[in-house]
């Protein structure tokens, strides 16, 4: 696809939409566009359950405590069987 500015694409899109007179077809496209916009505007946080959000927040707090840190060498030893060079 050649480089084309967003305004030109929007104008083409509006023109095409104006050509459709079938409500079912329009509803289908509106649903698809709504989904695309939601995905584009989502950072994923709002899609998480309250339990998942709480778990992430707890992990962030715990990660700041040095007593929870594991030295790199220990991690390498634990996962050595999966590490390849």
């Amino acid at each position: 696809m050649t480089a084309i500015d967003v305004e030109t694409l929007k104008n083409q899109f509006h023109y095409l939409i104006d050509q459709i007179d079938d409500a079912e077809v329009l509803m289908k496209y509106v649903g698809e566009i709504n989904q695309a916009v939601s995905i584009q505007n989502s950072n994923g946080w709002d899609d998480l359950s309250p339990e998942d959000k709480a778990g992430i927040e707890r992990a962030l707090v715990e990660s700041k405590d040095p007593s929870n840190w594991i030295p790199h060498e220990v991690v390498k030893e634990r996962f050595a069987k999966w590490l390849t060079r």
Side-chain angles (χ1 to χ4, degrees):
M1 183 174 170
T2 58
I4 190 165
D5 70 289
V6 173
E7 286 306 312
T8 300
L9 286 171
K10 286 181 178 182
N11 288 335
Q12 289 176 348
F13 197 70
H14 287 286
Y15 172 78
L16 291 171
I17 289 171
D18 289 341
Q19 305 306 305
I20 301 171
D21 291 326
D22 186 325
E24 286 186 38
V25 172
L26 288 170
M27 285 174 44
K28 175 185 171 193
Y29 289 122
V30 165
E32 290 179 18
I33 293 168
N34 276 333
Q35 183 177 12
V37 169
S38 292
I39 290 169
Q40 178 180 334
N41 293 335
S42 174
N43 63 8
W45 184 255
D46 294 335
D47 298 331
L48 296 175
S49 70
E51 294 81 17
D52 289 339
K53 289 178 183 178
I56 291 170
E57 290 169 344
R58 188 172 46 258
L60 287 171
V61 169
E62 291 173 359
S63 72
K64 294 179 183 355
D65 181 352
S67 70
N68 293 321
W69 298 353
I70 301 172
H72 181 69
E73 290 303 318
V74 172
V75 173
K76 281 176 44 178
E77 288 173 16
R78 288 184 186 173
F79 294 95
K81 64 182 173 183
W82 291 290
L83 297 175
T84 59
R85 289 199 177 242

Coordinates of all heavy atoms in Angstrom, one line a residue:
M1 N 0.9 -1.2 0.0 CA 0.0 0.0 0.0 C 0.9 1.2 0.0 O 1.8 1.3 0.8 CB -0.9 0.0 1.2 CG -1.9 1.1 1.3 SD -3.0 0.9 2.7 CE -3.8 2.4 2.8
T2 N 0.6 2.2 -0.8 CA 1.4 3.4 -0.9 C 1.0 4.3 0.3 O -0.1 4.2 0.9 CB 1.1 4.1 -2.2 OG1 -0.3 4.4 -2.3 CG2 1.5 3.3 -3.4
A3 N 1.9 5.1 0.6 CA 1.7 6.1 1.7 C 0.6 7.0 1.3 O 0.5 7.6 0.3 CB 3.0 6.9 2.0
I4 N -0.4 7.1 2.3 CA -1.5 8.0 2.0 C -1.9 8.6 3.4 O -1.8 7.9 4.4 CB -2.7 7.2 1.4 CG1 -3.8 8.1 1.0 CG2 -3.2 6.1 2.4 CD1 -4.8 7.4 0.1
D5 N -2.3 9.8 3.4 CA -2.5 10.5 4.7 C -3.8 10.0 5.3 O -4.7 9.6 4.6 CB -2.4 12.0 4.5 CG -3.6 12.6 3.7 OD1 -3.7 12.3 2.5 OD2 -4.4 13.2 4.4
V6 N -3.9 10.2 6.6 CA -5.1 9.7 7.3 C -6.3 10.4 6.9 O -7.4 9.8 6.8 CB -4.8 9.9 8.8 CG1 -6.1 9.6 9.6 CG2 -3.7 9.0 9.3
E7 N -6.3 11.7 6.6 CA -7.5 12.4 6.2 C -8.0 11.9 4.9 O -9.2 11.8 4.8 CB -7.2 13.9 6.1 CG -7.0 14.6 7.5 CD -8.2 14.4 8.4 OE1 -9.4 14.6 8.0 OE2 -8.0 14.1 9.6
T8 N -7.2 11.6 4.0 CA -7.6 11.0 2.7 C -8.3 9.7 2.9 O -9.4 9.4 2.4 CB -6.5 10.8 1.7 OG1 -5.9 12.1 1.5 CG2 -6.9 10.3 0.4
L9 N -7.7 8.9 3.8 CA -8.4 7.6 4.1 C -9.7 7.8 4.8 O -10.7 7.1 4.4 CB -7.4 6.8 5.0 CG -6.2 6.1 4.4 CD1 -5.3 5.5 5.4 CD2 -6.6 5.1 3.4
K10 N -9.8 8.7 5.7 CA -11.1 9.0 6.4 C -12.1 9.4 5.4 O -13.3 9.0 5.4 CB -10.9 10.0 7.5 CG -10.2 9.5 8.7 CD -10.1 10.6 9.7 CE -9.4 10.1 11.0 NZ -9.4 11.2 12.0
N11 N -11.7 10.3 4.5 CA -12.7 10.8 3.4 C -13.2 9.6 2.6 O -14.3 9.6 2.2 CB -12.0 11.9 2.6 CG -11.9 13.2 3.4 OD1 -12.6 13.4 4.3 ND2 -10.9 14.0 3.0
Q12 N -12.2 8.8 2.2 CA -12.6 7.6 1.4 C -13.6 6.7 2.1 O -14.6 6.2 1.6 CB -11.4 6.8 0.9 CG -10.6 7.5 -0.1 CD -9.3 6.7 -0.4 OE1 -8.9 5.8 0.2 NE2 -8.6 7.1 -1.5
F13 N -13.3 6.5 3.4 CA -14.1 5.7 4.2 C -15.5 6.3 4.4 O -16.5 5.6 4.2 CB -13.4 5.5 5.6 CG -14.0 4.4 6.4 CD1 -13.7 3.1 6.0 CD2 -14.8 4.6 7.5 CE1 -14.2 2.0 6.8 CE2 -15.2 3.6 8.3 CZ -15.0 2.3 7.9
H14 N -15.6 7.6 4.6 CA -16.9 8.2 4.7 C -17.7 8.1 3.4 O -18.9 7.8 3.4 CB -16.7 9.7 5.1 CG -16.3 9.9 6.5 ND1 -17.2 9.8 7.6 CD2 -15.1 10.3 7.0 CE1 -16.5 10.0 8.7 NE2 -15.3 10.3 8.4
Y15 N -17.0 8.3 2.3 CA -17.7 8.2 1.0 C -18.2 6.8 0.8 O -19.4 6.6 0.4 CB -16.7 8.5 -0.1 CG -17.2 8.2 -1.5 CD1 -18.1 9.1 -2.1 CD2 -16.9 7.0 -2.2 CE1 -18.7 8.8 -3.3 CE2 -17.5 6.7 -3.4 CZ -18.3 7.6 -4.0 OH -18.9 7.3 -5.2
L16 N -17.5 5.7 1.2 CA -18.0 4.4 1.0 C -19.1 4.1 1.9 O -20.1 3.4 1.5 CB -16.8 3.4 1.3 CG -15.7 3.4 0.3 CD1 -14.5 2.5 0.8 CD2 -16.2 2.8 -1.1
I17 N -19.1 4.6 3.2 CA -20.2 4.4 4.1 C -21.5 5.0 3.6 O -22.5 4.4 3.7 CB -19.8 4.9 5.5 CG1 -18.8 4.1 6.2 CG2 -21.1 5.0 6.4 CD1 -18.2 4.6 7.4
D18 N -21.3 6.2 3.0 CA -22.5 6.9 2.4 C -23.1 6.1 1.3 O -24.3 6.3 1.0 CB -22.1 8.3 2.0 CG -21.8 9.2 3.1 OD1 -22.2 8.9 4.2 OD2 -21.1 10.2 2.9
Q19 N -22.4 5.2 0.7 CA -23.0 4.4 -0.4 C -23.8 3.2 0.1 O -24.5 2.6 -0.7 CB -21.8 3.9 -1.3 CG -20.9 5.0 -1.9 CD -21.7 6.1 -2.6 OE1 -22.4 5.8 -3.5 NE2 -21.5 7.3 -2.1
I20 N -23.7 2.9 1.4 CA -24.4 1.7 1.9 C -25.8 2.1 2.5 O -25.8 3.0 3.3 CB -23.6 1.0 3.0 CG1 -22.2 0.6 2.4 CG2 -24.3 -0.2 3.6 CD1 -21.3 0.1 3.5
D21 N -26.8 1.4 2.0 CA -28.2 1.7 2.5 C -28.8 0.6 3.3 O -29.9 0.6 3.7 CB -29.1 2.1 1.3 CG -28.7 3.4 0.7 OD1 -28.3 4.3 1.4 OD2 -28.9 3.5 -0.6
D22 N -28.0 -0.5 3.5 CA -28.5 -1.7 4.2 C -28.1 -1.5 5.7 O -26.9 -1.5 6.0 CB -27.8 -2.9 3.6 CG -28.4 -4.2 4.1 OD1 -28.7 -4.3 5.4 OD2 -28.4 -5.2 3.4
A23 N -29.1 -1.5 6.5 CA -28.9 -1.3 8.0 C -28.1 -2.4 8.6 O -27.2 -2.2 9.4 CB -30.2 -1.1 8.7
E24 N -28.3 -3.6 8.1 CA -27.6 -4.8 8.7 C -26.1 -4.7 8.4 O -25.3 -5.0 9.2 CB -28.2 -6.1 8.2 CG -29.5 -6.4 8.9 CD -30.0 -7.8 8.5 OE1 -29.2 -8.7 8.3 OE2 -31.2 -8.0 8.3
V25 N -25.8 -4.3 7.1 CA -24.4 -4.2 6.7 C -23.8 -3.1 7.5 O -22.6 -3.3 8.0 CB -24.3 -3.9 5.2 CG1 -22.9 -3.6 4.8 CG2 -24.9 -5.1 4.4
L26 N -24.4 -2.0 7.7 CA -23.9 -0.9 8.5 C -23.7 -1.3 9.9 O -22.6 -0.9 10.5 CB -24.8 0.4 8.4 CG -24.8 1.1 7.0 CD1 -25.9 2.1 7.0 CD2 -23.4 1.7 6.8
M27 N -24.6 -2.0 10.5 CA -24.5 -2.5 11.9 C -23.2 -3.4 12.0 O -22.5 -3.3 13.0 CB -25.7 -3.2 12.4 CG -26.9 -2.2 12.6 SD -28.5 -3.0 13.0 CE -28.0 -4.3 14.2
K28 N -23.0 -4.2 11.0 CA -21.9 -5.1 11.1 C -20.6 -4.3 11.1 O -19.7 -4.5 11.9 CB -21.9 -6.0 9.9 CG -20.7 -6.9 9.8 CD -20.7 -7.7 8.5 CE -19.3 -8.4 8.3 NZ -19.2 -8.9 7.0
Y29 N -20.5 -3.3 10.2 CA -19.3 -2.5 10.1 C -19.1 -1.6 11.4 O -18.0 -1.4 11.8 CB -19.3 -1.7 8.9 CG -19.0 -2.5 7.6 CD1 -19.9 -2.5 6.6 CD2 -17.9 -3.3 7.5 CE1 -19.7 -3.3 5.4 CE2 -17.7 -4.1 6.4 CZ -18.6 -4.1 5.4 OH -18.4 -4.8 4.2
V30 N -20.2 -1.1 11.9 CA -20.1 -0.3 13.1 C -19.5 -1.1 14.3 O -18.7 -0.7 15.0 CB -21.5 0.3 13.5 CG1 -21.5 0.8 14.9 CG2 -21.8 1.4 12.5
G31 N -20.0 -2.4 14.4 CA -19.5 -3.3 15.4 C -18.0 -3.6 15.2 O -17.2 -3.5 16.2
E32 N -17.6 -3.8 14.0 CA -16.2 -4.1 13.7 C -15.3 -2.8 14.0 O -14.2 -2.9 14.6 CB -16.0 -4.5 12.3 CG -16.6 -5.9 12.1 CD -16.4 -6.4 10.6 OE1 -15.5 -5.9 9.9 OE2 -17.1 -7.3 10.3
I33 N -15.8 -1.7 13.7 CA -15.0 -0.4 13.9 C -15.0 -0.1 15.4 O -13.9 0.3 15.9 CB -15.7 0.7 13.1 CG1 -15.5 0.5 11.6 CG2 -15.0 2.1 13.5 CD1 -16.2 1.4 10.7
N34 N -16.1 -0.3 16.1 CA -16.1 -0.2 17.6 C -15.0 -1.1 18.2 O -14.3 -0.6 19.1 CB -17.5 -0.4 18.2 CG -18.4 0.7 18.1 OD1 -17.9 1.9 18.1 ND2 -19.7 0.5 18.0
Q35 N -15.0 -2.3 17.8 CA -14.0 -3.2 18.3 C -12.6 -2.8 18.0 O -11.7 -2.8 18.9 CB -14.2 -4.6 17.8 CG -13.3 -5.7 18.4 CD -13.6 -7.1 17.9 OE1 -14.3 -7.3 16.9 NE2 -13.0 -8.1 18.5
A36 N -12.3 -2.3 16.8 CA -11.0 -1.9 16.4 C -10.6 -0.6 17.2 O -9.4 -0.5 17.7 CB -10.9 -1.6 14.9
V37 N -11.5 0.3 17.4 CA -11.2 1.5 18.2 C -11.0 1.1 19.7 O -10.0 1.6 20.3 CB -12.4 2.5 18.1 CG1 -12.2 3.6 19.1 CG2 -12.4 3.1 16.7
S38 N -11.8 0.2 20.2 CA -11.6 -0.2 21.6 C -10.2 -0.9 21.8 O -9.5 -0.6 22.8 CB -12.6 -1.3 22.0 OG -13.9 -0.6 22.1
I39 N -9.8 -1.7 20.8 CA -8.5 -2.3 20.9 C -7.4 -1.3 20.8 O -6.4 -1.3 21.6 CB -8.3 -3.4 19.8 CG1 -9.2 -4.6 20.1 CG2 -6.9 -3.9 19.7 CD1 -9.4 -5.6 19.0
Q40 N -7.5 -0.4 19.9 CA -6.5 0.7 19.7 C -6.4 1.5 20.9 O -5.3 2.0 21.3 CB -6.9 1.6 18.5 CG -5.9 2.7 18.3 CD -6.4 3.5 17.1 OE1 -7.0 3.1 16.2 NE2 -6.0 4.8 17.1
N41 N -7.5 1.8 21.6 CA -7.4 2.7 22.8 C -7.2 2.0 24.1 O -7.1 2.6 25.1 CB -8.7 3.5 22.9 CG -8.9 4.5 21.7 OD1 -7.9 4.9 21.1 ND2 -10.1 4.8 21.4
S42 N -7.2 0.7 24.1 CA -7.0 -0.1 25.3 C -5.5 -0.3 25.6 O -4.7 -0.6 24.8 CB -7.7 -1.4 25.2 OG -7.5 -2.2 26.3
N43 N -5.2 -0.2 26.9 CA -3.9 -0.6 27.3 C -3.9 -1.9 27.9 O -2.9 -2.4 28.4 CB -3.3 0.5 28.3 CG -4.1 0.6 29.6 OD1 -5.0 -0.2 29.8 ND2 -3.8 1.6 30.4
G44 N -5.0 -2.6 27.9 CA -5.2 -3.9 28.5 C -5.6 -4.0 30.0 O -6.1 -4.9 30.4
W45 N -5.3 -2.9 30.7 CA -5.6 -2.9 32.1 C -7.0 -3.0 32.4 O -7.5 -3.8 33.3 CB -5.0 -1.6 32.7 CG -5.2 -1.5 34.2 CD1 -6.1 -0.7 34.9 CD2 -4.4 -2.2 35.2 NE1 -6.0 -0.9 36.2 CE2 -4.9 -1.8 36.5 CE3 -3.4 -3.1 35.2 CZ2 -4.4 -2.3 37.7 CZ3 -2.9 -3.6 36.4 CH2 -3.4 -3.2 37.6
D46 N -7.8 -2.3 31.6 CA -9.3 -2.3 31.9 C -9.9 -3.7 31.6 O -11.0 -4.0 32.0 CB -10.0 -1.3 31.0 CG -9.6 0.1 31.5 OD1 -9.2 0.3 32.6 OD2 -9.7 1.1 30.6
D47 N -9.2 -4.5 30.8 CA -9.7 -5.8 30.4 C -9.4 -6.9 31.5 O -9.9 -8.0 31.4 CB -9.1 -6.3 29.1 CG -9.4 -5.4 27.9 OD1 -10.5 -4.7 28.0 OD2 -8.7 -5.3 27.0
L48 N -8.6 -6.5 32.5 CA -8.2 -7.5 33.5 C -9.3 -7.6 34.6 O -10.0 -6.6 34.9 CB -6.9 -7.1 34.2 CG -5.7 -7.1 33.3 CD1 -4.5 -6.5 34.1 CD2 -5.4 -8.5 32.8
S49 N -9.4 -8.7 35.2 CA -10.3 -8.9 36.3 C -9.8 -8.2 37.5 O -8.6 -7.9 37.6 CB -10.5 -10.4 36.7 OG -9.3 -10.9 37.2
P50 N -10.6 -7.9 38.5 CA -10.1 -7.2 39.7 C -9.1 -8.1 40.5 O -8.1 -7.5 41.0 CB -11.4 -7.1 40.6 CG -12.5 -7.1 39.6 CD -12.1 -8.0 38.5
E51 N -9.2 -9.4 40.4 CA -8.2 -10.3 41.0 C -6.9 -10.1 40.3 O -5.8 -10.1 41.0 CB -8.7 -11.7 41.0 CG -9.9 -12.0 41.8 CD -11.2 -11.6 41.1 OE1 -11.2 -11.4 39.9 OE2 -12.2 -11.5 41.8
D52 N -6.9 -10.1 39.0 CA -5.6 -10.0 38.2 C -5.0 -8.6 38.5 O -3.7 -8.5 38.7 CB -5.9 -10.1 36.7 CG -6.2 -11.5 36.3 OD1 -5.9 -12.5 37.1 OD2 -6.8 -11.7 35.3
K53 N -5.8 -7.5 38.6 CA -5.2 -6.2 38.9 C -4.6 -6.2 40.2 O -3.5 -5.7 40.4 CB -6.3 -5.2 38.8 CG -6.8 -4.9 37.4 CD -7.9 -3.8 37.4 CE -8.5 -3.6 36.0 NZ -9.6 -2.6 36.1
A54 N -5.3 -6.8 41.2 CA -4.7 -6.8 42.6 C -3.4 -7.6 42.6 O -2.5 -7.2 43.3 CB -5.8 -7.4 43.5
G55 N -3.4 -8.7 41.9 CA -2.2 -9.5 41.8 C -1.0 -8.8 41.3 O 0.2 -8.8 41.8
I56 N -1.2 -8.0 40.2 CA -0.2 -7.2 39.6 C 0.3 -6.1 40.5 O 1.5 -5.9 40.7 CB -0.7 -6.6 38.2 CG1 -0.8 -7.8 37.2 CG2 0.3 -5.6 37.7 CD1 -1.5 -7.4 35.9
E57 N -0.7 -5.4 41.2 CA -0.3 -4.4 42.1 C 0.5 -4.9 43.3 O 1.5 -4.3 43.7 CB -1.6 -3.6 42.6 CG -2.2 -2.8 41.5 CD -3.6 -2.3 41.8 OE1 -4.2 -2.7 42.8 OE2 -4.0 -1.4 41.1
R58 N 0.1 -6.1 43.8 CA 0.9 -6.7 44.9 C 2.3 -7.1 44.4 O 3.2 -6.9 45.1 CB 0.1 -8.0 45.3 CG 0.6 -8.6 46.5 CD -0.3 -9.8 47.1 NE -0.8 -10.7 46.1 CZ -2.0 -10.7 45.6 NH1 -2.9 -9.8 46.0 NH2 -2.4 -11.6 44.7
A59 N 2.4 -7.6 43.2 CA 3.7 -8.0 42.6 C 4.6 -6.8 42.5 O 5.8 -6.8 42.8 CB 3.5 -8.7 41.3
L60 N 4.0 -5.6 42.1 CA 4.8 -4.4 42.0 C 5.4 -4.0 43.3 O 6.5 -3.6 43.4 CB 4.0 -3.3 41.3 CG 3.7 -3.4 39.9 CD1 2.7 -2.4 39.4 CD2 5.0 -3.3 39.1
V61 N 4.5 -4.0 44.4 CA 5.0 -3.7 45.7 C 6.1 -4.6 46.2 O 7.1 -4.2 46.7 CB 3.8 -3.7 46.7 CG1 4.3 -3.5 48.1 CG2 2.8 -2.5 46.4
E62 N 5.8 -5.9 46.0 CA 6.8 -7.0 46.4 C 8.1 -6.8 45.7 O 9.2 -7.1 46.2 CB 6.2 -8.3 46.2 CG 5.1 -8.7 47.2 CD 4.4 -10.0 46.9 OE1 4.8 -10.7 45.9 OE2 3.4 -10.3 47.6
S63 N 8.1 -6.4 44.4 CA 9.3 -6.3 43.6 C 10.2 -5.2 44.1 O 11.4 -5.2 43.8 CB 9.0 -6.1 42.1 OG 8.5 -4.8 41.9
K64 N 9.7 -4.3 44.9 CA 10.6 -3.2 45.4 C 11.3 -3.6 46.7 O 12.2 -2.9 47.1 CB 9.7 -2.0 45.6 CG 9.2 -1.4 44.3 CD 8.3 -0.2 44.6 CE 7.7 0.5 43.4 NZ 7.9 0.0 42.1
D65 N 11.0 -4.8 47.3 CA 11.6 -5.2 48.5 C 12.8 -6.1 48.2 O 12.6 -7.2 47.6 CB 10.5 -6.0 49.3 CG 11.1 -6.6 50.6 OD1 12.3 -6.5 50.9 OD2 10.2 -7.1 51.4
P66 N 14.0 -5.7 48.5 CA 15.2 -6.5 48.2 C 15.2 -7.9 48.7 O 15.8 -8.8 48.1 CB 16.3 -5.7 48.8 CG 15.8 -4.3 48.9 CD 14.3 -4.4 49.2
S67 N 14.4 -8.2 49.8 CA 14.4 -9.5 50.3 C 13.7 -10.5 49.3 O 13.8 -11.7 49.5 CB 13.7 -9.6 51.7 OG 12.3 -9.3 51.5
N68 N 13.0 -10.0 48.4 CA 12.3 -10.8 47.4 C 13.1 -11.0 46.1 O 12.7 -11.7 45.2 CB 10.9 -10.2 47.0 CG 10.0 -10.2 48.1 OD1 9.9 -11.1 48.9 ND2 9.2 -9.1 48.2
W69 N 14.2 -10.3 46.0 CA 15.1 -10.4 44.8 C 15.9 -11.7 44.8 O 16.3 -12.2 45.8 CB 16.1 -9.2 44.8 CG 15.4 -7.9 44.7 CD1 14.1 -7.6 44.5 CD2 16.0 -6.6 44.8 NE1 13.8 -6.3 44.5 CE2 15.0 -5.6 44.7 CE3 17.4 -6.2 45.0 CZ2 15.3 -4.3 44.7 CZ3 17.6 -4.9 45.0 CH2 16.6 -3.9 44.9
I70 N 16.0 -12.3 43.6 CA 16.8 -13.5 43.4 C 18.0 -13.1 42.6 O 17.8 -12.6 41.5 CB 16.0 -14.6 42.7 CG1 14.7 -14.9 43.6 CG2 16.8 -15.8 42.5 CD1 13.7 -15.8 42.9
P71 N 19.2 -13.4 43.0 CA 20.4 -13.1 42.2 C 20.4 -13.7 40.9 O 19.9 -14.9 40.7 CB 21.6 -13.6 43.1 CG 21.0 -13.7 44.5 CD 19.6 -14.0 44.3
H72 N 21.0 -13.1 39.9 CA 21.0 -13.6 38.5 C 21.6 -15.0 38.4 O 21.1 -15.8 37.7 CB 21.7 -12.6 37.6 CG 21.8 -12.9 36.2 ND1 20.7 -12.9 35.4 CD2 22.8 -13.4 35.4 CE1 21.0 -13.3 34.2 NE2 22.3 -13.6 34.2
E73 N 22.6 -15.2 39.1 CA 23.3 -16.5 39.1 C 22.4 -17.6 39.5 O 22.4 -18.7 39.0 CB 24.6 -16.5 39.9 CG 25.7 -15.7 39.3 CD 26.0 -16.1 37.8 OE1 26.1 -17.3 37.6 OE2 26.2 -15.2 37.0
V74 N 21.6 -17.3 40.6 CA 20.6 -18.3 41.1 C 19.6 -18.6 40.0 O 19.2 -19.8 39.8 CB 20.0 -17.9 42.4 CG1 18.9 -18.8 42.9 CG2 21.1 -17.7 43.5
V75 N 19.1 -17.6 39.4 CA 18.1 -17.8 38.3 C 18.6 -18.6 37.2 O 18.0 -19.6 36.7 CB 17.5 -16.4 37.8 CG1 16.6 -16.6 36.6 CG2 16.8 -15.7 38.9
K76 N 19.9 -18.3 36.8 CA 20.5 -19.1 35.7 C 20.7 -20.5 36.1 O 20.4 -21.4 35.3 CB 21.9 -18.5 35.4 CG 21.8 -17.2 34.6 CD 23.2 -16.5 34.4 CE 24.3 -17.4 34.0 NZ 25.6 -16.7 33.7
E77 N 21.0 -20.8 37.4 CA 21.1 -22.2 37.8 C 19.8 -22.9 37.7 O 19.7 -24.1 37.3 CB 21.7 -22.3 39.2 CG 23.2 -21.9 39.3 CD 23.6 -21.8 40.8 OE1 22.9 -22.3 41.7 OE2 24.7 -21.2 41.0
R78 N 18.7 -22.3 38.2 CA 17.4 -22.9 38.2 C 16.9 -23.2 36.8 O 16.1 -24.2 36.7 CB 16.4 -21.9 39.0 CG 16.6 -21.9 40.4 CD 15.5 -21.0 41.1 NE 15.8 -20.8 42.5 CZ 15.1 -20.0 43.2 NH1 14.1 -19.3 42.7 NH2 15.4 -19.8 44.5
F79 N 17.2 -22.4 35.9 CA 16.7 -22.5 34.5 C 17.7 -23.0 33.5 O 17.5 -22.9 32.3 CB 16.1 -21.2 34.1 CG 14.9 -20.8 34.9 CD1 15.0 -19.9 36.0 CD2 13.6 -21.3 34.6 CE1 13.9 -19.6 36.7 CE2 12.5 -21.0 35.4 CZ 12.6 -20.1 36.4
A80 N 18.8 -23.5 34.0 CA 19.9 -23.9 33.2 C 19.5 -25.0 32.1 O 19.9 -24.9 31.0 CB 21.1 -24.5 34.0
K81 N 18.6 -25.9 32.5 CA 18.2 -26.9 31.6 C 17.4 -26.4 30.4 O 17.4 -27.0 29.3 CB 17.4 -28.0 32.3 CG 16.1 -27.6 32.8 CD 15.4 -28.7 33.5 CE 14.2 -28.3 34.3 NZ 13.6 -29.4 35.0
W82 N 16.9 -25.1 30.5 CA 16.2 -24.5 29.4 C 17.0 -23.5 28.6 O 16.7 -23.1 27.5 CB 14.9 -23.8 29.8 CG 13.9 -24.8 30.3 CD1 13.1 -25.6 29.6 CD2 13.4 -25.0 31.7 NE1 12.3 -26.4 30.3 CE2 12.4 -26.0 31.7 CE3 13.8 -24.4 32.9 CZ2 11.8 -26.4 32.8 CZ3 13.2 -24.8 34.0 CH2 12.2 -25.8 34.0
L83 N 18.2 -23.2 29.2 CA 19.1 -22.2 28.5 C 20.0 -22.9 27.6 O 20.6 -23.9 27.9 CB 19.9 -21.5 29.6 CG 19.1 -20.6 30.5 CD1 20.0 -20.0 31.6 CD2 18.4 -19.5 29.8
T84 N 20.1 -22.4 26.4 CA 21.0 -23.0 25.4 C 21.8 -21.8 24.8 O 21.3 -20.7 24.8 CB 20.3 -23.7 24.2 OG1 19.4 -22.8 23.6 CG2 19.5 -24.9 24.8
R85 N 22.9 -22.1 24.3 CA 23.7 -21.1 23.7 C 23.8 -21.3 22.2 O 23.7 -22.3 21.6 CB 25.1 -21.1 24.3 CG 25.1 -20.5 25.7 CD 26.4 -20.1 26.1 NE 26.2 -19.5 27.4 CZ 26.5 -18.2 27.7 NH1 26.9 -17.4 26.8 NH2 26.3 -17.8 28.9

